[in-house]
Amino acid sequence: LEAKEEFSHKTLAMDVMRPRRNDPPLTVITQDSMTVEDVESIINETTYSGYPVVVSRESQRLVGFVLRRDLIISIENARKKQDGIVSTSIIYFTDHSPPLPPSSPSMLKLRSILDLSPFTVTDQTPMEIVVDIFRKLGLRQCLVTHNGKLLGIITKKDVLKHIAQLANQDPDSILFN
Ligand code: ADP
């Protein structure tokens, strides 16, 4: 098998990542514009283990990654123990709080639970390399970008499914090559 030919039907990160072509977009949290209530509804309406944090929905610039369980604990704690935290409080992951009118409720800073350097690959990365990275670094998830914009996510389970699929296809590819 020629190296070049082999390369031409290699699976890429974009083929394995979620969302798939007709799926709803990735569920993300913005860095300084969502309320406690907004984030609580994301937690209640989805079961994902974590959420990418972006500068804004329009920019889709990745800021970090936050785990669902850390969000749940921190919001619960803040609602109980932190003065002035209500459903309409803004949650921010930035260093400084966003400028808001003086009449706004207290804001909730959650920078401490943000993973500021989640692992990322570009959408064109061959899955062979992605699998290797997952194995070697023991990743739970990896984010996928294109031109610096967040595009998707690949979890450890997605990688395992991909490997299982390859194993099933192998007999055929041996026959046909
Ligand atoms: P697992 O893959 O272990 O079940 P998750 O529950 O986090 O982990 O993810 C379930 C599926 O949803 C996976 O296929 C994953 O790629 C996708 N996914 C994970 N996080 C998000 C997200 N924030 N938005 C959209 N899809 C996601």
Side-chain angles (χ1 to χ4, degrees), residues 30-129:
T30 55
Q31 68 173 356
D32 61 2
S33 57
M34 283 186 169
T35 61
V36 164
E37 184 167 61
D38 292 337
V39 174
E40 281 172 340
S41 50
I42 285 179
I43 291 169
N44 293 329
E45 284 159 23
T46 64
T47 58
Y48 306 128
S49 320
Y51 307 92
V53 174
V54 294
V55 171
S56 64
R57 274 191 199 289
E58 307 72 58
S59 76
Q60 287 294 306
R61 296 276 160 199
L62 182 64
V63 174
F65 192 79
V66 66
L67 290 178
R68 172 196 183 78
R69 58 158 191 270
D70 292 341
L71 271 178
I72 293 173
I73 293 169
S74 302
I75 293 177
E76 238 176 54
N77 259 333
R79 273 196 182 271
K80 269 190 229 151
K81 297 174 186 159
Q82 204 172 319
D83 272 346
I85 299 301
V86 291
S87 297
T88 51
S89 294
I90 292 284
I91 290 182
Y92 66 102
F93 296 89
T94 45
D95 243 336
H96 303 286
S97 58
L100 280 186
S103 58
S104 320
S106 303
M107 288 181 258
L108 175 55
K109 183 171 185 172
L110 292 184
R111 190 171 179 80
S112 62
I113 60 166
L114 185 66
D115 175 359
L116 285 162
S117 38
F119 213 91
T120 62
V121 294
T122 69
D123 57 341
Q124 298 301 314
T125 310
M127 273 311 290
E128 201 171 77
I129 292 174

Side-chain angles (χ1 to χ4, degrees), residues 9 25 28 37 64 67 89 101 103 111 141 146 152 154 158 167 169 171:
H9 26 239
V28 298
E37 184 167 61
L67 290 178
S89 294
S103 58
R111 190 171 179 80
Q141 68 278 122
H146 179 82
I154 299 176
D158 293 330
Q169 279 169 8

Side-chain angles (χ1 to χ4, degrees), residues 16-19 24-28 46-52 65 140-141 153-158 161:
V16 174
M17 70 170 202
R18 304 303 162 108
L26 201 62
T27 303
V28 298
T46 64
T47 58
Y48 306 128
S49 320
Y51 307 92
F65 192 79
R140 305 298 304 270
Q141 68 278 122
I153 185 168
I154 299 176
T155 66
K156 184 176 168 183
K157 220 181 261 179
D158 293 330
K161 277 188 216 151

